[in-house]
Amino acid sequence: MQQGATNLIVFQDKYSTEEACREHLFCLRWPSGYTCPRCGHNKYSYHSTRRLYQCKSCKYQVSVTAGTVFHRTRIPLRKWFWMIFLMGRQKNGISMLSLKRMLEIKSYKTIWLMGHKIRHAMAHRDSYYKLAGLVEMDDTYIGSKKSGIRGRGARGKSKVVVAVENIKNKPGYAKMERVENLKGKTISCAFDNHLEGETVLRTDSCRSYNALISGQRKHQPVNVSAGEDPLFFLPWVHMLISNVKSNIIGTYHGVSIKHIARYLSEFCYRFNRRFWENQMFDRILNACLNCKTITFTELSQ
Ligand SMILES: [Zn+2]
């Protein structure tokens, strides 16, 4: 992937009009030139007033945003572009209230929905990856600002299972899932599809993780009774738990149980691409172009 616009001045110049934004989406959606979504033909005519591409073979008309996260949006693409740029470039994410003010979006509901649409695309993109090799796993409570009894959680908080690859003592890819409880069956449902066959799960001895073990997968619990220190053997999962908690409280001032999964996806998406900061904008745009949108009604269910 090419290096995108990496600073504010270049970004502002490059995407200063709706047309420039649309052209960029066109290049990302059809990198080898236009292809009709219905018949695969590659010749088209452009209807500038309705901003539709019409296939010269089957006459099918399509907009560059049809079937994507931007489907039927009334928000200018320039505002979407800035939002994605800022969400991708801020290490700890950015609050929706700040974005509402910066982008002059009238209602909080609108910016809230835009944020969740982008997070939904991030989650969809990361669902293609599986964790492999040595994987550290642990669970925690995340959510509201209220402090609870240590290790027992509190009202308004979600139980979250965190997994991260440990590659030669460096963190690799990470996944986080909200779970209802820590029963083996629940953990298996949430994580079985996130793990490759040949995986060694290192945990702090919670037996529920055994439910993920089958075939060539192995469980390597830390032997606390033999004096092994979980913090030493599970360094990266503890680092991630600490970071995601301060991110959710610091940037978002706590999030509701109902929507926490998408905030966790946003955190993991940024973490998993921390070495490609300069490509973040185009990567998120690509994720948004390759994902069906989610509506307010679907989010409210
Ligand atoms: Zn066609």
Side-chain angles (χ1 to χ4, degrees):
M1 185 172 282
Q2 286 183 338
Q3 296 275 308
T6 53
N7 71 56
L8 298 180
I9 308 295
V10 174
F11 188 86
Q12 190 181 26
D13 286 348
K14 200 170 173 185
Y15 306 114
S16 60
T17 65
E18 287 296 286
E19 209 44 49
C21 296
R22 220 178 336 272
E23 274 174 26
H24 188 59
L25 289 185
F26 183 98
C27 292
L28 287 177
R29 183 163 181 180
W30 294 300
S32 310
Y34 169 84
T35 311
C36 171
R38 184 188 272 172
C39 75
H41 194 70
N42 58 9
K43 298 257 182 339
Y44 69 95
S45 51
Y46 181 59
H47 293 241
S48 55
T49 41
R50 294 176 63 210
R51 294 170 189 138
L52 291 173
Y53 301 85
Q54 181 172 309
C55 171
K56 285 199 170 176
S57 175
C58 74
K59 310 294 178 203
Y60 184 70
Q61 293 183 330
V62 68
S63 73
V64 75
T65 52
T68 74
V69 156
F70 314 112
H71 191 74
R72 293 192 174 159
T73 183
R74 289 181 188 164
I75 302 297
L77 288 174
R78 270 180 306 158
K79 295 195 179 190
W80 276 106
F81 272 39
W82 269 113
M83 183 166 179
I84 287 170
F85 181 83
L86 293 167
M87 279 176 81
R89 290 305 295 269
Q90 296 291 104
K91 241 183 184 168
N92 293 316
I94 183 164
S95 82
M96 293 301 108
L97 268 178
S98 304
L99 283 170
K100 179 181 175 293
R101 283 194 292 268
M102 280 193 256
L103 301 175
E104 293 188 319
I105 302 283
K106 279 185 189 152
S107 85
Y108 182 76
K109 181 182 163 186
T110 304
I111 197 83
W112 179 88
L113 181 58
M114 290 166 76
H116 278 303
K117 282 173 187 268
I118 294 167
R119 289 182 197 105
H120 173 68
M122 291 170 162
H124 178 74
R125 186 72 192 93
D126 264 357
S127 68
Y128 289 102
Y129 297 112
K130 290 189 178 195
L131 307 184
L134 177 58
V135 175
E136 299 179 16
M137 285 186 89
D138 204 356
D139 45 86
T140 186
Y141 281 97
I142 306 176
S144 72
K145 274 181 164 177
K146 297 173 209 157
S147 58
I149 303 164
R150 196 175 162 82
R152 299 266 180 91
R155 269 198 312 164
K157 296 200 178 196
S158 306
K159 191 83 181 153
V160 173
V161 174
V162 178
V164 56
E165 293 170 332
N166 179 324
I167 306 169
K168 294 180 185 170
N169 286 326
K170 295 253 164 62
Y173 267 66
K175 298 252 186 198
M176 298 184 189
E177 288 285 353
R178 182 201 156 206
V179 290
E180 288 293 335
N181 54 56
L182 279 183
K183 289 177 184 166
K185 198 177 168 189
T186 312
I187 291 182
S188 174
C189 281
F191 266 88
D192 195 48
N193 279 333
H194 291 335
L195 302 169
E196 291 286 5
E198 287 186 49
T199 312
V200 176
L201 301 181
R202 187 181 283 173
T203 74
D204 64 358
S205 315
C206 174
R207 284 187 186 173
S208 301
Y209 292 101
N210 282 330
L212 289 165
I213 304 306
S214 64
Q216 290 180 296
R217 272 192 212 147
K218 292 186 176 64
H219 190 187
Q220 190 184 78
V222 175
N223 195 346
V224 183
S225 55
E228 288 183 350
D229 178 6
L231 287 174
F232 180 78
F233 285 97
L234 299 162
W236 302 119
V237 76
H238 285 124
M239 178 204 73
L240 271 179
I241 287 173
S242 162
N243 287 359
V244 72
K245 279 184 177 178
S246 50
N247 177 226
I248 279 177
I249 299 301
T251 304
Y252 302 111
H253 309 294
V255 298
S256 70
I257 290 174
K258 191 171 178 180
H259 301 293
I260 193 169
R262 278 180 297 278
Y263 288 95
L264 299 174
S265 296
E266 180 192 354
F267 181 89
C268 287
Y269 184 93
R270 216 182 284 107
F271 178 81
N272 291 341
R273 290 157 189 79
R274 61 198 179 280
F275 300 123
W276 300 293
E277 202 185 5
N278 290 345
Q279 299 174 2
M280 196 69 99
F281 171 70
D282 273 348
R283 282 176 180 261
I284 303 175
L285 262 190
N286 250 324
C288 289
L289 285 174
N290 287 293
C291 179
K292 263 182 76 178
T293 198
I294 189 164
T295 63
F296 186 77
T297 313
E298 286 165 335
L299 283 168
S300 310
Q301 280 165 359

mmCIF file with all atom_site columns, all heavy atoms in Angstrom, residues 34-43 54-60, ligand 1:
data_model
loop_
_atom_site.group_PDB
_atom_site.id
_atom_site.type_symbol
_atom_site.label_atom_id
_atom_site.label_alt_id
_atom_site.label_comp_id
_atom_site.label_asym_id
_atom_site.label_entity_id
_atom_site.label_seq_id
_atom_site.pdbx_PDB_ins_code
_atom_site.Cartn_x
_atom_site.Cartn_y
_atom_site.Cartn_z
_atom_site.occupancy
_atom_site.B_iso_or_equiv
_atom_site.pdbx_formal_charge
_atom_site.auth_seq_id
_atom_site.auth_comp_id
_atom_site.auth_asym_id
_atom_site.auth_atom_id
_atom_site.pdbx_PDB_model_num
ATOM   1   N  N   . TYR A 1 34 ? -12.521 0.743  -13.218 1.00 0.00 ? 34 TYR A N   1
ATOM   2   C  CA  . TYR A 1 34 ? -13.906 0.423  -12.886 1.00 0.00 ? 34 TYR A CA  1
ATOM   3   C  C   . TYR A 1 34 ? -14.283 -1.008 -13.304 1.00 0.00 ? 34 TYR A C   1
ATOM   4   O  O   . TYR A 1 34 ? -13.921 -1.475 -14.381 1.00 0.00 ? 34 TYR A O   1
ATOM   5   C  CB  . TYR A 1 34 ? -14.825 1.424  -13.594 1.00 0.00 ? 34 TYR A CB  1
ATOM   6   C  CG  . TYR A 1 34 ? -16.283 1.064  -13.550 1.00 0.00 ? 34 TYR A CG  1
ATOM   7   C  CD1 . TYR A 1 34 ? -17.057 1.400  -12.450 1.00 0.00 ? 34 TYR A CD1 1
ATOM   8   C  CD2 . TYR A 1 34 ? -16.885 0.378  -14.607 1.00 0.00 ? 34 TYR A CD2 1
ATOM   9   C  CE1 . TYR A 1 34 ? -18.397 1.061  -12.401 1.00 0.00 ? 34 TYR A CE1 1
ATOM   10  C  CE2 . TYR A 1 34 ? -18.229 0.038  -14.558 1.00 0.00 ? 34 TYR A CE2 1
ATOM   11  C  CZ  . TYR A 1 34 ? -18.975 0.377  -13.445 1.00 0.00 ? 34 TYR A CZ  1
ATOM   12  O  OH  . TYR A 1 34 ? -20.294 0.043  -13.401 1.00 0.00 ? 34 TYR A OH  1
ATOM   13  N  N   . THR A 1 35 ? -14.998 -1.680 -12.433 1.00 0.00 ? 35 THR A N   1
ATOM   14  C  CA  . THR A 1 35 ? -15.545 -3.002 -12.753 1.00 0.00 ? 35 THR A CA  1
ATOM   15  C  C   . THR A 1 35 ? -17.009 -3.001 -12.324 1.00 0.00 ? 35 THR A C   1
ATOM   16  O  O   . THR A 1 35 ? -17.309 -2.712 -11.161 1.00 0.00 ? 35 THR A O   1
ATOM   17  C  CB  . THR A 1 35 ? -14.813 -4.109 -11.964 1.00 0.00 ? 35 THR A CB  1
ATOM   18  O  OG1 . THR A 1 35 ? -13.412 -3.906 -12.114 1.00 0.00 ? 35 THR A OG1 1
ATOM   19  C  CG2 . THR A 1 35 ? -15.166 -5.484 -12.482 1.00 0.00 ? 35 THR A CG2 1
ATOM   20  N  N   . CYS A 1 36 ? -17.897 -3.316 -13.249 1.00 0.00 ? 36 CYS A N   1
ATOM   21  C  CA  . CYS A 1 36 ? -19.322 -3.318 -12.922 1.00 0.00 ? 36 CYS A CA  1
ATOM   22  C  C   . CYS A 1 36 ? -19.596 -4.367 -11.834 1.00 0.00 ? 36 CYS A C   1
ATOM   23  O  O   . CYS A 1 36 ? -19.237 -5.534 -11.991 1.00 0.00 ? 36 CYS A O   1
ATOM   24  C  CB  . CYS A 1 36 ? -20.145 -3.627 -14.171 1.00 0.00 ? 36 CYS A CB  1
ATOM   25  S  SG  . CYS A 1 36 ? -21.884 -3.903 -13.803 1.00 0.00 ? 36 CYS A SG  1
ATOM   26  N  N   . PRO A 1 37 ? -20.235 -3.964 -10.708 1.00 0.00 ? 37 PRO A N   1
ATOM   27  C  CA  . PRO A 1 37 ? -20.499 -4.931 -9.632  1.00 0.00 ? 37 PRO A CA  1
ATOM   28  C  C   . PRO A 1 37 ? -21.458 -6.038 -10.066 1.00 0.00 ? 37 PRO A C   1
ATOM   29  O  O   . PRO A 1 37 ? -21.479 -7.104 -9.474  1.00 0.00 ? 37 PRO A O   1
ATOM   30  C  CB  . PRO A 1 37 ? -21.151 -4.083 -8.530  1.00 0.00 ? 37 PRO A CB  1
ATOM   31  C  CG  . PRO A 1 37 ? -20.956 -2.667 -8.910  1.00 0.00 ? 37 PRO A CG  1
ATOM   32  C  CD  . PRO A 1 37 ? -20.738 -2.617 -10.384 1.00 0.00 ? 37 PRO A CD  1
ATOM   33  N  N   . ARG A 1 38 ? -22.246 -5.769 -11.136 1.00 0.00 ? 38 ARG A N   1
ATOM   34  C  CA  . ARG A 1 38 ? -23.219 -6.778 -11.550 1.00 0.00 ? 38 ARG A CA  1
ATOM   35  C  C   . ARG A 1 38 ? -22.652 -7.737 -12.593 1.00 0.00 ? 38 ARG A C   1
ATOM   36  O  O   . ARG A 1 38 ? -22.763 -8.946 -12.458 1.00 0.00 ? 38 ARG A O   1
ATOM   37  C  CB  . ARG A 1 38 ? -24.476 -6.105 -12.104 1.00 0.00 ? 38 ARG A CB  1
ATOM   38  C  CG  . ARG A 1 38 ? -25.553 -7.109 -12.448 1.00 0.00 ? 38 ARG A CG  1
ATOM   39  C  CD  . ARG A 1 38 ? -26.711 -6.458 -13.169 1.00 0.00 ? 38 ARG A CD  1
ATOM   40  N  NE  . ARG A 1 38 ? -27.704 -5.941 -12.248 1.00 0.00 ? 38 ARG A NE  1
ATOM   41  C  CZ  . ARG A 1 38 ? -28.732 -5.184 -12.624 1.00 0.00 ? 38 ARG A CZ  1
ATOM   42  N  NH1 . ARG A 1 38 ? -28.865 -4.852 -13.883 1.00 0.00 ? 38 ARG A NH1 1
ATOM   43  N  NH2 . ARG A 1 38 ? -29.604 -4.759 -11.739 1.00 0.00 ? 38 ARG A NH2 1
ATOM   44  N  N   . CYS A 1 39 ? -21.998 -7.181 -13.661 1.00 0.00 ? 39 CYS A N   1
ATOM   45  C  CA  . CYS A 1 39 ? -21.592 -8.081 -14.755 1.00 0.00 ? 39 CYS A CA  1
ATOM   46  C  C   . CYS A 1 39 ? -20.080 -8.137 -14.974 1.00 0.00 ? 39 CYS A C   1
ATOM   47  O  O   . CYS A 1 39 ? -19.603 -8.920 -15.790 1.00 0.00 ? 39 CYS A O   1
ATOM   48  C  CB  . CYS A 1 39 ? -22.303 -7.689 -16.057 1.00 0.00 ? 39 CYS A CB  1
ATOM   49  S  SG  . CYS A 1 39 ? -21.622 -6.204 -16.821 1.00 0.00 ? 39 CYS A SG  1
ATOM   50  N  N   . GLY A 1 40 ? -19.320 -7.282 -14.254 1.00 0.00 ? 40 GLY A N   1
ATOM   51  C  CA  . GLY A 1 40 ? -17.864 -7.352 -14.369 1.00 0.00 ? 40 GLY A CA  1
ATOM   52  C  C   . GLY A 1 40 ? -17.289 -6.583 -15.555 1.00 0.00 ? 40 GLY A C   1
ATOM   53  O  O   . GLY A 1 40 ? -16.072 -6.566 -15.744 1.00 0.00 ? 40 GLY A O   1
ATOM   54  N  N   . HIS A 1 41 ? -18.160 -5.918 -16.344 1.00 0.00 ? 41 HIS A N   1
ATOM   55  C  CA  . HIS A 1 41 ? -17.699 -5.141 -17.493 1.00 0.00 ? 41 HIS A CA  1
ATOM   56  C  C   . HIS A 1 41 ? -16.873 -3.947 -16.996 1.00 0.00 ? 41 HIS A C   1
ATOM   57  O  O   . HIS A 1 41 ? -17.083 -3.456 -15.887 1.00 0.00 ? 41 HIS A O   1
ATOM   58  C  CB  . HIS A 1 41 ? -18.931 -4.643 -18.273 1.00 0.00 ? 41 HIS A CB  1
ATOM   59  C  CG  . HIS A 1 41 ? -18.606 -4.115 -19.636 1.00 0.00 ? 41 HIS A CG  1
ATOM   60  N  ND1 . HIS A 1 41 ? -18.193 -4.918 -20.667 1.00 0.00 ? 41 HIS A ND1 1
ATOM   61  C  CD2 . HIS A 1 41 ? -18.632 -2.843 -20.132 1.00 0.00 ? 41 HIS A CD2 1
ATOM   62  C  CE1 . HIS A 1 41 ? -17.982 -4.173 -21.740 1.00 0.00 ? 41 HIS A CE1 1
ATOM   63  N  NE2 . HIS A 1 41 ? -18.234 -2.925 -21.441 1.00 0.00 ? 41 HIS A NE2 1
ATOM   64  N  N   . ASN A 1 42 ? -15.915 -3.472 -17.848 1.00 0.00 ? 42 ASN A N   1
ATOM   65  C  CA  . ASN A 1 42 ? -15.046 -2.398 -17.343 1.00 0.00 ? 42 ASN A CA  1
ATOM   66  C  C   . ASN A 1 42 ? -15.213 -1.050 -18.049 1.00 0.00 ? 42 ASN A C   1
ATOM   67  O  O   . ASN A 1 42 ? -14.424 -0.132 -17.846 1.00 0.00 ? 42 ASN A O   1
ATOM   68  C  CB  . ASN A 1 42 ? -13.584 -2.843 -17.386 1.00 0.00 ? 42 ASN A CB  1
ATOM   69  C  CG  . ASN A 1 42 ? -13.140 -3.220 -18.786 1.00 0.00 ? 42 ASN A CG  1
ATOM   70  O  OD1 . ASN A 1 42 ? -13.889 -2.979 -19.741 1.00 0.00 ? 42 ASN A OD1 1
ATOM   71  N  ND2 . ASN A 1 42 ? -11.968 -3.805 -18.904 1.00 0.00 ? 42 ASN A ND2 1
ATOM   72  N  N   . LYS A 1 43 ? -16.253 -0.898 -18.868 1.00 0.00 ? 43 LYS A N   1
ATOM   73  C  CA  . LYS A 1 43 ? -16.506 0.409  -19.501 1.00 0.00 ? 43 LYS A CA  1
ATOM   74  C  C   . LYS A 1 43 ? -17.741 1.036  -18.840 1.00 0.00 ? 43 LYS A C   1
ATOM   75  O  O   . LYS A 1 43 ? -18.728 0.348  -18.576 1.00 0.00 ? 43 LYS A O   1
ATOM   76  C  CB  . LYS A 1 43 ? -16.767 0.237  -21.004 1.00 0.00 ? 43 LYS A CB  1
ATOM   77  C  CG  . LYS A 1 43 ? -15.580 -0.362 -21.769 1.00 0.00 ? 43 LYS A CG  1
ATOM   78  C  CD  . LYS A 1 43 ? -14.868 0.726  -22.525 1.00 0.00 ? 43 LYS A CD  1
ATOM   79  C  CE  . LYS A 1 43 ? -13.696 0.295  -23.363 1.00 0.00 ? 43 LYS A CE  1
ATOM   80  N  NZ  . LYS A 1 43 ? -13.035 -0.949 -23.088 1.00 0.00 ? 43 LYS A NZ  1
ATOM   81  N  N   . GLN A 1 54 ? -22.427 4.369  -14.733 1.00 0.00 ? 54 GLN A N   1
ATOM   82  C  CA  . GLN A 1 54 ? -23.341 3.431  -15.413 1.00 0.00 ? 54 GLN A CA  1
ATOM   83  C  C   . GLN A 1 54 ? -22.563 2.495  -16.319 1.00 0.00 ? 54 GLN A C   1
ATOM   84  O  O   . GLN A 1 54 ? -21.785 2.930  -17.178 1.00 0.00 ? 54 GLN A O   1
ATOM   85  C  CB  . GLN A 1 54 ? -24.384 4.185  -16.239 1.00 0.00 ? 54 GLN A CB  1
ATOM   86  C  CG  . GLN A 1 54 ? -25.358 3.221  -16.928 1.00 0.00 ? 54 GLN A CG  1
ATOM   87  C  CD  . GLN A 1 54 ? -26.517 3.932  -17.589 1.00 0.00 ? 54 GLN A CD  1
ATOM   88  O  OE1 . GLN A 1 54 ? -27.195 4.744  -16.978 1.00 0.00 ? 54 GLN A OE1 1
ATOM   89  N  NE2 . GLN A 1 54 ? -26.746 3.639  -18.853 1.00 0.00 ? 54 GLN A NE2 1
ATOM   90  N  N   . CYS A 1 55 ? -22.784 1.198  -16.127 1.00 0.00 ? 55 CYS A N   1
ATOM   91  C  CA  . CYS A 1 55 ? -22.104 0.169  -16.916 1.00 0.00 ? 55 CYS A CA  1
ATOM   92  C  C   . CYS A 1 55 ? -22.564 0.265  -18.372 1.00 0.00 ? 55 CYS A C   1
ATOM   93  O  O   . CYS A 1 55 ? -23.766 0.361  -18.638 1.00 0.00 ? 55 CYS A O   1
ATOM   94  C  CB  . CYS A 1 55 ? -22.444 -1.201 -16.328 1.00 0.00 ? 55 CYS A CB  1
ATOM   95  S  SG  . CYS A 1 55 ? -21.885 -2.569 -17.347 1.00 0.00 ? 55 CYS A SG  1
ATOM   96  N  N   . LYS A 1 56 ? -21.602 0.247  -19.299 1.00 0.00 ? 56 LYS A N   1
ATOM   97  C  CA  . LYS A 1 56 ? -21.960 0.354  -20.714 1.00 0.00 ? 56 LYS A CA  1
ATOM   98  C  C   . LYS A 1 56 ? -22.520 -0.946 -21.263 1.00 0.00 ? 56 LYS A C   1
ATOM   99  O  O   . LYS A 1 56 ? -23.082 -0.969 -22.344 1.00 0.00 ? 56 LYS A O   1
ATOM   100 C  CB  . LYS A 1 56 ? -20.737 0.786  -21.532 1.00 0.00 ? 56 LYS A CB  1
ATOM   101 C  CG  . LYS A 1 56 ? -20.423 2.260  -21.359 1.00 0.00 ? 56 LYS A CG  1
ATOM   102 C  CD  . LYS A 1 56 ? -19.558 2.809  -22.469 1.00 0.00 ? 56 LYS A CD  1
ATOM   103 C  CE  . LYS A 1 56 ? -19.495 4.328  -22.351 1.00 0.00 ? 56 LYS A CE  1
ATOM   104 N  NZ  . LYS A 1 56 ? -18.605 4.930  -23.344 1.00 0.00 ? 56 LYS A NZ  1
ATOM   105 N  N   . SER A 1 57 ? -22.374 -2.026 -20.524 1.00 0.00 ? 57 SER A N   1
ATOM   106 C  CA  . SER A 1 57 ? -22.894 -3.303 -20.995 1.00 0.00 ? 57 SER A CA  1
ATOM   107 C  C   . SER A 1 57 ? -24.302 -3.558 -20.455 1.00 0.00 ? 57 SER A C   1
ATOM   108 O  O   . SER A 1 57 ? -25.248 -3.679 -21.211 1.00 0.00 ? 57 SER A O   1
ATOM   109 C  CB  . SER A 1 57 ? -21.949 -4.435 -20.579 1.00 0.00 ? 57 SER A CB  1
ATOM   110 O  OG  . SER A 1 57 ? -22.506 -5.670 -20.923 1.00 0.00 ? 57 SER A OG  1
ATOM   111 N  N   . CYS A 1 58 ? -24.440 -3.597 -19.125 1.00 0.00 ? 58 CYS A N   1
ATOM   112 C  CA  . CYS A 1 58 ? -25.757 -3.965 -18.561 1.00 0.00 ? 58 CYS A CA  1
ATOM   113 C  C   . CYS A 1 58 ? -26.550 -2.770 -18.053 1.00 0.00 ? 58 CYS A C   1
ATOM   114 O  O   . CYS A 1 58 ? -27.652 -2.951 -17.537 1.00 0.00 ? 58 CYS A O   1
ATOM   115 C  CB  . CYS A 1 58 ? -25.591 -5.017 -17.463 1.00 0.00 ? 58 CYS A CB  1
ATOM   116 S  SG  . CYS A 1 58 ? -24.922 -4.359 -15.921 1.00 0.00 ? 58 CYS A SG  1
ATOM   117 N  N   . LYS A 1 59 ? -25.988 -1.555 -18.163 1.00 0.00 ? 59 LYS A N   1
ATOM   118 C  CA  . LYS A 1 59 ? -26.657 -0.297 -17.760 1.00 0.00 ? 59 LYS A CA  1
ATOM   119 C  C   . LYS A 1 59 ? -26.856 -0.162 -16.247 1.00 0.00 ? 59 LYS A C   1
ATOM   120 O  O   . LYS A 1 59 ? -27.570 0.718  -15.787 1.00 0.00 ? 59 LYS A O   1
ATOM   121 C  CB  . LYS A 1 59 ? -28.043 -0.132 -18.450 1.00 0.00 ? 59 LYS A CB  1
ATOM   122 C  CG  . LYS A 1 59 ? -28.037 -0.336 -19.947 1.00 0.00 ? 59 LYS A CG  1
ATOM   123 C  CD  . LYS A 1 59 ? -27.240 0.725  -20.656 1.00 0.00 ? 59 LYS A CD  1
ATOM   124 C  CE  . LYS A 1 59 ? -27.194 0.502  -22.159 1.00 0.00 ? 59 LYS A CE  1
ATOM   125 N  NZ  . LYS A 1 59 ? -26.044 1.137  -22.788 1.00 0.00 ? 59 LYS A NZ  1
ATOM   126 N  N   . TYR A 1 60 ? -26.253 -1.053 -15.473 1.00 0.00 ? 60 TYR A N   1
ATOM   127 C  CA  . TYR A 1 60 ? -26.376 -0.961 -14.008 1.00 0.00 ? 60 TYR A CA  1
ATOM   128 C  C   . TYR A 1 60 ? -25.701 0.321  -13.522 1.00 0.00 ? 60 TYR A C   1
ATOM   129 O  O   . TYR A 1 60 ? -24.609 0.662  -13.958 1.00 0.00 ? 60 TYR A O   1
ATOM   130 C  CB  . TYR A 1 60 ? -25.722 -2.185 -13.370 1.00 0.00 ? 60 TYR A CB  1
ATOM   131 C  CG  . TYR A 1 60 ? -25.856 -2.267 -11.871 1.00 0.00 ? 60 TYR A CG  1
ATOM   132 C  CD1 . TYR A 1 60 ? -27.079 -2.535 -11.279 1.00 0.00 ? 60 TYR A CD1 1
ATOM   133 C  CD2 . TYR A 1 60 ? -24.745 -2.101 -11.038 1.00 0.00 ? 60 TYR A CD2 1
ATOM   134 C  CE1 . TYR A 1 60 ? -27.214 -2.626 -9.900  1.00 0.00 ? 60 TYR A CE1 1
ATOM   135 C  CE2 . TYR A 1 60 ? -24.866 -2.195 -9.663  1.00 0.00 ? 60 TYR A CE2 1
ATOM   136 C  CZ  . TYR A 1 60 ? -26.101 -2.455 -9.096  1.00 0.00 ? 60 TYR A CZ  1
ATOM   137 O  OH  . TYR A 1 60 ? -26.217 -2.547 -7.733  1.00 0.00 ? 60 TYR A OH  1
HETATM 138 ZN ZN  . ZN  B 2 .  ? -22.627 -4.296 -15.932 1.00 0.00 ? 1  ZN  B ZN  1
#
